[in-house]
Amino acid sequence: MGGRKPRLPIPEEELLAPGHRACAGCGSALCVRLCLKALGKNTIVVTSTGCIEVTTTPYPETAWKVPWIHVAFENAAAVASGVERALKALGKDDVTVAVFAGDGGTVDIGFQALSGMVERGHNVVYICYDNEAYMNTGVQRSGATPPYAATTTTPAGKVWRGEMRPKKDVPRIMVDHGVPYVATACVSFPQDLIKKVKKAKKVDGPAYVHVLCPCPPGWGYDSSETIEIGELAVETGMWVLYEVEDGEFRLTYRPKERKPVEEYLKRQKRFQHLTEDEIEEIQRMVDEQWEELEKLAEK
Amino acid sequence: MSESEVRVINGNYAAAEAVRLVDVDVIAAYPITPQTPVVEYLSEFIANGELDAEFIHVESEHSAISAVIGASATGVRVFTATASQGLALMHEVLFIASGMRLPIVMAVANRALSAPINIWCDHSDAMAQRDACWIQLYCESNQEILDTIIQAYRIAEHEDVLLPVMVCFDGFTLSHTLEPVEIPPKEKVQEFVGEFEPTHCRLDPEEPMTLGPVGGPDCYMEFKKMQDEAMKEAERVIGEVNREFADEFGRSYGNGLVEEYNTEDADYIVIAMGSVCGTVKHVIDEERPDVGLIRVKSYRPFPGEQIAEIIQDREGVVTIDRAHSYGAMPPLWTDVKAHAPDVEISSTIAGLGGRDIRPEDVLKAIEVAEKGKGTDEPVWINVNA
């Protein structure tokens, strides 16, 4: 990983206790653990229904060392709006409000509440832990499932070739909402992630961080390979690390030489059915997207 | 201390005025007919500095109830209001508000449910939420709306209750109709409601709590049973708050749960809820001194034993439901019957979708009881064949 900048120290204090029920190698649990280090103790967390909520709070146990609330699947952003305004009413202006919601809870069922929350300008750090499908219910496609990925509701067969729609680009939609800080990240790049969440925390107003979180059972790879798979997503350009501060776009990591997408795809069961033509098509899509982002970065 | 003031206001204004007097901290609401003016009046109060509250202009009722859950869990007094489709959209979240034992107060300007779309009054909206473990209090007058919302905070926040309260009032019939209402001084209301100091459920980094966890088969039933016990406690607390309110403000509404009108020597008993009770009282006064009324103010908790006792040994008993449980018997009848299985009770359905319930319609309902009809299927009043 030659292109990396010098490492930032990662805060040692753990605010997500071990012993939670997430799978071995869970990218999403790692995401929460790292983000909490950046957010710090003085934070109230709102979580939507999903993997993280289910695995961290089997009553009477909890993995959360910060105040935490879960209400439902689609309303984390609305709940956070209420928490934020209540803190304002109480005159507590030093407490950070953060949301952890999965891709389903963000790009699909929770999208309206998210749009409302950022439009109203609530001072909330919204973190989407994106494992690219409904993993909590057993790998069904979401709006964030990438093209050609096989899920239980987009199986690869004679007629269907896996997911047939492009991944919904919510970070860009957040930029179009005028959100002052929008960033993408990946758990395989912890310094980059922490830096971005720290920036998001400082923003006066809404901030949106979209984190790619590899999922061993959902994507079909060994649980020891999460970091490597995430790295390959970024090194191939399948996932791009950037931030948009007050509308200004910046790539935060540029692979020295982009690896062929095949290196990422062939490692995962969800892409095992792809033909050479289909892999080429994905490569073309990634090349086009990269070109577009390069242009944005030059502006 | 300043004096009470009598003003001629509509039901929506009475609701907003109560919220101002309680001095609520966070309001999240979405406009829907016939509740909309509540949202507008509250916005005006805040805009003019008459109420120091945070107003969240949510993008839906689903988010309105979700936002007040977040705010309530952070330790402040909250308010929201809705009706009809808006209440239906909240459905999922209503169960969570009560399951988390948050003392949220919500006004509901009762309105029919689609389809066909209809903006006028009936009780289908609130009846569809009867199993959400919210206390449901129904009002007959605008004065009662104001008084009940003030009381609702005391009931909801009582340590033996800790359940959300829905204050229901009939769309248009009350929400948009002017009546004289005595508005008590704010200091007196503040004294009555006291400080809100939640301890069981509060988001505070100084003392982290996990709210809304997973409850499996090993504990779910215990949580639900505790909610039911809290509802039973609420029956007592509603009565206590009604009495205390009477001591402070000189007004009471029956025993807080049911109001009896001319029941003592009545041969026939009408059981009803909401504004139609005013019409029933009028019919009793003008034409039928042999009839008594039981106005059910608290639908949840349901004071079934009290009602069962009152209706014993009568010539006839009839319920007037403004909602139906299609393919079964209407909700009010069903609840009464469950507590008085040996009493013959007639069932009528009237006033759906804003159809007026006129004095002659009340007389028709009494006639159903006189003839002993409607005991195994409801009689629809004033409906074209």
Side-chain angles (χ1 to χ4, degrees):
Chain A
M1 312 307 301
R4 300 253 185 108
K5 287 184 178 166
R7 286 166 185 270
L8 280 174
I10 293 177
E12 276 180 29
E13 191 177 10
E14 299 290 354
L15 295 172
L16 185 74
H20 56 71
R21 313 296 203 266
C23 307
C26 174
S28 300
L30 178 58
C31 167
V32 171
R33 184 176 154 222
L34 291 169
C35 289
L36 284 177
K37 286 169 180 283
L39 292 163
K41 250 183 160 162
N42 209 14
T43 302
I44 294 174
V45 169
V46 181
T47 299
S48 68
T49 309
C51 285
I52 286 301
E53 165 265 328
V54 165
T55 56
T56 57
T57 66
Y59 181 85
E61 295 166 24
T62 179
W64 299 86
K65 296 185 181 180
V66 291
W68 180 92
I69 183 169
H70 155 253
V71 178
F73 197 178
E74 68 278 52
N75 62 357
V79 175
S81 301
V83 172
E84 183 247 17
R85 290 297 182 89
L87 288 170
K88 208 172 162 194
L90 291 168
K92 289 186 186 173
D93 51 9
D94 60 335
V95 180
T96 302
V97 181
V99 172
F100 287 105
D103 46 300
T106 300
V107 319
D108 290 345
I109 200 167
F111 186 70
Q112 175 181 316
L114 171 62
S115 174
M117 183 198 89
V118 301
E119 176 273 318
R120 293 188 298 269
H122 292 277
N123 195 9
V124 173
V125 179
Y126 190 106
I127 297 163
C128 171
Y129 63 94
D130 180 4
N131 50 25
E132 301 196 314
Y134 290 94
M135 298 313 187
N136 191 39
T137 43
V139 202
Q140 294 79 34
R141 68 83 74 181
S142 79
T145 301
Y148 286 110
T151 69
T152 58
T153 52
T154 55
K158 277 184 192 159
V159 180
W160 286 4
R161 300 298 299 153
E163 171 60 37
M164 287 170 282
R165 301 288 307 158
K167 188 177 168 84
K168 192 175 189 178
D169 192 349
V170 171
R172 182 173 286 194
I173 298 168
M174 289 297 102
V175 172
D176 288 342
H177 271 60
V179 174
Y181 185 78
V182 176
T184 60
C186 174
V187 286
S188 305
F189 294 74
Q191 282 85 6
D192 179 75
L193 170 61
I194 284 176
K195 206 170 157 187
K196 284 168 175 169
V197 174
K198 280 187 170 173
K199 266 192 185 178
K201 184 185 161 178
K202 279 189 195 142
V203 171
D204 184 20
Y208 180 83
V209 184
H210 194 114
V211 189
L212 185 73
C213 301
C215 169
W219 295 11
Y221 64 83
D222 188 83
S223 58
S224 65
E225 299 170 349
T226 293
I227 301 301
E228 210 183 323
I229 296 289
E231 279 175 350
L232 280 170
V234 174
E235 295 294 339
T236 57
M238 288 285 295
W239 186 246
V240 183
L241 304 183
Y242 65 82
E243 64 185 5
V244 185
E245 264 181 292
D246 296 318
E248 206 161 300
F249 179 90
R250 193 171 76 84
L251 284 169
T252 57
Y253 177 72
R254 202 186 288 260
K256 266 192 179 160
E257 199 175 331
R258 267 193 298 128
K259 290 184 175 165
V261 293
E262 194 174 3
E263 289 190 29
Y264 173 66
L265 301 173
K266 72 183 181 192
R267 298 282 295 272
Q268 304 170 54
K269 204 174 161 196
R270 61 176 174 160
F271 294 118
Q272 282 312 299
H273 59 287
L274 297 193
T275 62
E276 273 181 29
D277 285 350
E278 286 162 345
I279 291 171
E280 255 174 54
E281 193 193 332
I282 293 173
Q283 185 67 60
R284 245 193 333 272
M285 283 157 61
V286 167
D287 290 346
E288 276 168 23
Q289 182 189 264
W290 190 261
E291 228 170 88
E292 207 182 308
L293 291 171
E294 286 272 23
K295 270 184 209 160
L296 261 178
E298 280 164 22
K299 269 187 192 167
Chain B
M1 198 176 267
S2 53
E3 297 287 306
S4 288
E5 180 195 356
V6 175
R7 288 172 69 185
V8 179
I9 57 176
N10 64 37
N12 281 325
Y13 197 93
E17 191 61 33
V19 172
R20 186 187 68 79
L21 294 169
V22 170
D23 198 16
V24 164
D25 303 297
V26 174
I27 298 161
Y30 189 82
I32 180 168
T33 304
Q35 154 270 27
T36 307
V38 179
V39 185
E40 294 174 333
Y41 296 137
L42 287 169
S43 302
E44 262 176 49
F45 291 162
I46 297 171
N48 297 332
E50 294 167 67
L51 171 63
D52 181 16
E54 294 291 326
F55 192 101
I56 309 178
H57 297 90
V58 281
E59 79 296 335
S60 71
E61 288 89 353
H62 194 283
S63 283
I65 187 67
S66 302
V68 296
I69 284 179
S72 180
T74 309
V76 300
R77 275 203 178 108
V78 300
F79 177 77
T80 186
T82 191
S84 183
Q85 307 304 120
L87 187 59
L89 185 56
M90 289 182 178
H91 178 73
E92 173 205 20
V93 192
L94 296 180
F95 290 76
I96 304 171
S98 55
M100 293 179 84
R101 308 296 296 274
L102 294 168
I104 293 163
V105 174
M106 168 161 70
V108 175
N110 293 111
R111 166 186 153 182
L113 289 169
S114 294
I117 187 166
N118 175 298
I119 60 167
W120 294 275
C121 176
D122 68 31
H123 294 164
S124 311
D125 53 358
M127 286 296 155
Q129 311 304 337
R130 66 178 181 172
D131 299 333
C133 195
W134 278 60
I135 292 168
Q136 287 195 6
L137 304 175
Y138 287 74
C139 302
E140 188 191 333
S141 69
N142 292 351
Q143 182 72 62
E144 192 177 354
I145 296 170
L146 182 131
D147 293 347
T148 305
I149 289 176
I150 294 168
Q151 293 181 28
Y153 284 92
R154 281 286 303 275
I155 298 162
E157 293 168 10
H158 193 287
E159 60 175 358
D160 296 336
V161 178
L162 291 169
L163 287 174
V165 179
M166 231 178 256
V167 177
C168 302
F169 52 89
D170 290 347
F172 295 107
T173 317
L174 292 179
S175 72
H176 285 64
T177 304
L178 296 168
E179 286 183 342
V181 173
E182 189 178 317
I183 297 165
K186 190 176 167 185
E187 312 89 84
K188 205 172 165 186
V189 173
Q190 286 294 297
E191 211 172 286
F192 183 77
V193 295
E195 290 281 313
F196 177 47
E197 283 165 358
T199 52
H200 72 293
C201 188
R202 191 154 160 259
L203 295 167
D204 181 2
E206 299 287 320
E207 199 189 331
M209 290 185 191
T210 289
L211 309 180
V214 179
D218 57 325
C219 63
Y220 184 88
M221 276 185 84
E222 283 72 20
F223 282 122
K224 294 294 137 183
K225 185 157 183 288
M226 282 191 273
Q227 284 178 234
D228 196 48
E229 281 160 10
M231 266 291 180
K232 287 189 189 110
E233 291 293 324
E235 210 170 317
R236 169 179 60 80
V237 171
I238 291 167
E240 285 170 9
V241 172
N242 179 61
R243 278 195 297 279
E244 214 182 302
F245 190 87
D247 290 343
E248 292 297 322
F249 299 92
R251 285 183 299 277
S252 62
Y253 300 94
N255 64 7
L257 300 147
V258 293
E259 184 200 343
E260 291 180 63
Y261 190 82
N262 197 44
T263 50
E264 207 173 327
D265 299 315
D267 296 328
Y268 296 93
I269 296 286
V270 174
I271 306 172
M273 291 161 63
S275 63
V276 72
C277 293
T279 312
V280 178
K281 288 174 183 173
H282 171 82
V283 167
I284 291 169
D285 290 349
E286 297 296 317
E287 301 184 47
R288 295 298 301 259
D290 60 328
V291 173
L293 166 72
I294 297 174
R295 176 166 78 89
V296 180
K297 177 173 170 64
S298 173
Y299 182 64
R300 287 291 180 271
F302 191 73
E305 281 175 31
Q306 288 183 41
I307 296 169
E309 209 169 292
I310 303 166
I311 61 175
Q312 294 299 324
D313 304 321
R314 308 285 178 167
E315 298 286 322
V317 178
V318 63
T319 54
I320 301 176
D321 262 282
R322 294 196 82 164
H324 192 22
S325 180
Y326 297 88
M329 291 294 278
L332 181 58
W333 183 92
T334 304
D335 280 309
V336 175
K337 188 71 181 176
H339 289 88
D342 300 333
V343 179
E344 195 150 283
I345 304 167
S346 301
S347 167
T348 63
I349 291 174
L352 298 191
R355 180 149 306 173
D356 283 335
I357 307 178
R358 305 158 301 178
E360 55 262 47
D361 300 318
V362 173
L363 286 169
K364 276 182 205 156
I366 296 168
E367 201 180 306
V368 170
E370 284 171 328
K371 291 184 176 166
K373 288 184 178 171
T375 53
D376 51 7
E377 66 176 319
V379 176
W380 292 63
I381 303 286
N382 189 21
V383 67
N384 297 320

